[in-house]
Amino acid sequence: MSETRPTNAATVLERPPPLSLGSAQPRTLAEEQLQERPQRSASQGADYDVTVVGAGPGGYVAAIRAAQLGLKVAVVEKGSLGGTCLNVGCIPTKAMLASVEALSIARRGREFGFQTGDVVPDYGTMVRRRDRIVEQLRTGVAHLLKKNGIDLIRGAARFRTAHELEITGPEAAPDGVRRLTTGNTVIATGSVCSRPPIPGIELEGVVNSDGLLALPTIPKSLAVIGAGAVGLEWAEIFGELGSRISILELEPRLLPPADAEVSTELGRAFQKKGAELLLGVSVERIERTSELLSVVYRRSGEPERRVEAEVVLVATGRWPFTEGLGLEAAGIHPERRSIPVNDQMQSRVRGIYAVGDVTPGPLLAHVASKGGEIAAEAIAGHSARMNPRTIPACVYTQPEVAWVGLTEEEASERYGAVRVGRFPFRNLGRAIAGGLRDGFVKVVSEPQYGEILGVHMIGAHVTDLISEAALGMTMEATVEELFRTVHAHPSLPEALHEAALDAWDRAIHKG
Ligand SMILES: Cc1cc2nc3c(=O)[nH]c(=O)nc-3n(C[C@H](O)[C@H](O)[C@H](O)COP(=O)(O)OP(=O)(O)OC[C@H]3O[C@@H](n4cnc5c(N)ncnc54)[C@H](O)[C@@H]3O)c2cc1C
């Protein structure tokens, strides 16, 4: 890599300095692993070296990494192991999406050369399958905590001081209240569904993403307020199950943070499936009209209009959750509900770290988990840091959407005339063979050295394909390094290879 290329020091995992527990600095990964054998006695007289509050993907990963590093660790959880992600977020939605994807393939039997007769969804079985998967993974998290020698304390934690926690709950202690002292605390209390001030939001049939999981039957019609990942994935699920879908979004396009071209293509895909897209509208109120709910909305300067639906999903984002945590007793002051942290997940109070949805930044499970690893390593004296530039974002609609880095618009603002390569899946052998022609890959690169600034994908399996781009960006790769990499044929990642070539005007199969 040229020395004159812009560098991004934060992408480099520096050698860890000596562990705060007094051990010598490891020199190789093998030595580091030897050094990380659990020791399990808290330093400085506290009950624990690290207490993690919340056992979602941020918290349980922080706990496991801290235990790997030889620290004595407790996790406090007031609800279910796995947090939002496992119980009401990533996993249940992906289980339902897998069911509807299978359904849509079965419906395309004639195209692939088989007959199925009528393909009818069995919603009850799908829900039971989803719940079994969640239960299986919850058991897995419990097993991992146990295997790593982590104490799991059931109950709600509250700070008494920066190094003392009170845990309340029938299982926390015989009298329901337990106190413990801790050298460090990792706050991983996650987020809850936001509740915008829309009149009528309290009406029966108006639900958030948690409530949608509890629906006993498939609604005939669903209005989704908010076209972010959560709203769109549920629109995908119920659309495929036969609900009439309307999507209302304040911004003029679906998935506002995505690259504009990707968002337009996704909009086309939803329209092709019959969804009604009401973009650039503000929802004024929700009313009940006979059997249905009526969502009243307005476009700037236009009269009110309404769309009717049996169920209304409010998917307008999530709020960091710190209620009942007693942050003031620890000297922590949230800003716009979340806990500010540096790139090692340290809050402004020594010994208190925060990770995941409770911190500013994208509300994603892998961000929470990476934050958990980093916090644990920072506590142990290592110096890994969060690099916000290389975090992938995925949306599991059909077609899927995935991106990492800057959009073309953002990159142009920052770097001027960027070089962009595109490649459509319809030109790719594997995609044609698999009936997966929709979508494209787009690579945005810095004009002088060709460093990859962003990769944007829409199409089948792109949520898997994006990891190659994330690795490339973590290593500050150039488009040249991407296209010099040999990609197997026939395979979907060839689209990334061709898009990288196209950024240098040398795509082979573009046509
Ligand atoms: C429908 C939906 C789909 C999603 N899909 C994806 C996806 O596909 N990919 C993705 O990356 N992200 C997805 N997310 C987001 C992802 O779920 C969150 O980013 C992730 O769960 C955040 O992890 P966390 O550890 O910060 O918090 P959480 O998972 O929210 O866990 C926080 C935990 O802390 C506990 N807790 C809170 N306060 C206390 C206390 N005082 N004492 C003890 N315990 C406490 C809670 O009970 C909870 O278990 C989705 C979210 C939703 C709602």
Side-chain angles (χ1 to χ4, degrees):
M1 192 117 325
S2 158
E3 279 187 11
T4 52
R5 275 188 49 215
T7 58
N8 179 4
T11 58
V12 181
L13 274 177
E14 296 163 32
R15 291 303 319 151
L19 281 175
S20 57
L21 300 179
S23 4
Q25 179 173 353
R27 280 193 297 274
T28 66
L29 190 58
E31 282 172 328
E32 192 175 308
Q33 278 166 351
L34 272 179
Q35 185 170 349
E36 290 168 5
R37 291 264 159 79
Q39 297 158 11
R40 303 287 185 272
S41 59
S43 55
Q44 296 160 353
D47 295 324
Y48 292 98
D49 290 316
V50 186
T51 304
V52 181
V53 182
Y60 84 77
V61 170
I64 291 172
R65 185 66 189 125
Q68 286 174 347
L69 290 163
L71 301 170
K72 187 170 184 215
V73 186
V75 174
V76 187
E77 173 54 62
K78 70 178 177 61
S80 301
L81 290 180
T84 302
C85 170
L86 177 44
N87 296 286
V88 292
C90 326
I91 299 301
T93 49
K94 271 66 215 178
M96 294 299 283
L97 283 160
S99 290
V100 299
E101 191 184 346
L103 197 64
S104 88
I105 291 172
R107 284 180 175 141
R108 291 169 61 194
R110 282 164 67 98
E111 177 190 337
F112 287 99
F114 61 90
Q115 289 180 0
T116 54
D118 278 352
V119 179
V120 183
D122 177 351
Y123 183 65
T125 304
M126 283 183 194
V127 168
R128 284 191 293 281
R129 173 182 180 276
R130 174 194 84 193
D131 293 347
R132 270 199 316 277
I133 290 165
V134 169
E135 185 52 42
Q136 178 191 338
L137 290 171
R138 242 189 247 139
T139 310
V141 174
H143 166 76
L144 290 174
L145 294 180
K146 196 168 171 201
K147 184 185 143 204
N148 283 281
I150 295 160
D151 289 348
L152 171 61
I153 304 171
R154 298 279 188 176
R158 180 182 187 84
F159 283 101
R160 287 179 55 81
T161 69
H163 294 281
E164 198 184 349
L165 289 165
E166 184 174 274
I167 295 130
T168 314
E171 293 176 40
D175 66 351
V177 182
R178 174 169 171 187
R179 285 188 187 166
L180 59 81
T181 54
T182 181
N184 301 275
T185 303
V186 179
I187 302 171
T189 48
S191 62
V192 288
C193 297
S194 69
R195 201 175 155 78
I198 300 173
I201 197 170
E202 71 294 340
L203 289 171
E204 197 182 329
V206 181
V207 295
N208 59 26
S209 62
D210 298 352
L212 211 57
L213 280 172
L215 277 194
T217 52
I218 302 168
K220 287 200 175 57
S221 48
L222 175 71
V224 178
I225 303 176
V230 170
L232 293 178
E233 287 181 7
W234 278 115
E236 175 74 41
I237 293 167
F238 282 110
E240 199 61 54
L241 290 174
S243 305
R244 185 173 53 76
I245 302 290
S246 307
I247 301 172
L248 300 102
E249 166 59 49
L250 189 61
E251 298 291 327
R253 58 196 176 94
L254 297 185
L255 216 51
D259 189 86
E261 278 179 72
V262 167
S263 151
T264 305
E265 180 85 1
L266 185 66
R268 274 194 214 111
F270 266 102
Q271 277 174 322
K272 210 166 130 191
K273 286 186 277 194
E276 180 183 19
L277 303 188
L278 302 165
L279 305 176
V281 302
S282 76
V283 171
E284 305 285 303
R285 61 188 179 281
I286 307 168
E287 292 170 352
R288 177 153 289 286
T289 46
S290 64
E291 294 295 283
L292 295 175
L293 289 158
S294 201
V295 182
V296 181
Y297 66 91
R298 188 197 288 275
R299 264 196 193 89
S300 169
E302 290 184 13
E304 280 183 358
R305 292 174 199 275
R306 53 185 65 223
V307 61
E308 298 205 315
E310 188 182 330
V311 173
V312 175
L313 167 65
V314 179
T316 48
R318 296 179 66 83
W319 287 334
F321 181 75
T322 56
E323 220 177 283
L325 202 52
L327 287 180
E328 52 299 337
I332 301 231
H333 304 287
E335 288 174 13
R336 276 184 282 158
R337 295 175 195 263
S338 60
I339 302 176
V341 287
N342 66 13
D343 59 2
Q344 288 200 293
M345 317 316 292
Q346 289 163 325
S347 76
R348 294 191 184 123
V349 176
R350 205 178 160 79
I352 300 184
Y353 295 71
V355 304
D357 284 9
V358 78
T359 63
L363 276 58
L364 293 168
H366 44 280
V367 175
S369 298
K370 185 50 72 188
E373 280 178 48
I374 291 171
E377 292 181 9
I379 291 168
H382 292 211
S383 54
R385 287 167 202 280
M386 183 68 91
N387 179 5
R389 289 185 57 201
T390 58
I391 293 168
C394 296
V395 185
Y396 298 77
T397 42
Q398 291 298 329
E400 294 180 351
V401 172
W403 72 90
V404 57
L406 303 177
T407 62
E408 182 179 352
E409 209 179 333
E410 291 164 342
S412 304
E413 272 168 25
R414 218 171 288 181
Y415 292 86
V418 289
R419 294 187 78 145
V420 178
R422 295 178 182 78
F423 192 79
F425 282 108
R426 65 170 180 274
N427 285 22
L428 205 66
R430 179 70 191 273
I432 296 169
L436 309 168
R437 294 162 183 251
D438 291 342
F440 58 84
V441 172
K442 173 173 171 181
V443 174
V444 181
S445 67
E446 183 274 329
Q448 196 179 355
Y449 304 103
E451 180 171 354
I452 305 162
L453 301 176
V455 176
H456 305 272
M457 303 176 164
I458 177 164
H461 304 294
V462 298
T463 57
D464 297 318
L465 267 49
I466 199 68
S467 293
E468 179 182 353
L471 173 66
M473 287 192 64
T474 303
M475 303 187 75
E476 299 180 5
T478 61
V479 278
E480 186 184 346
E481 284 158 331
L482 205 51
F483 66 65
R484 277 175 44 209
T485 304
V486 179
H487 289 77
H489 175 77
S491 70
L492 297 180
E494 284 179 291
L496 180 57
H497 181 244
E498 289 272 6
L501 283 169
D502 189 50
W504 251 235
D505 297 324
R506 41 178 286 195
I508 303 291
H509 295 93
K510 199 152 179 199

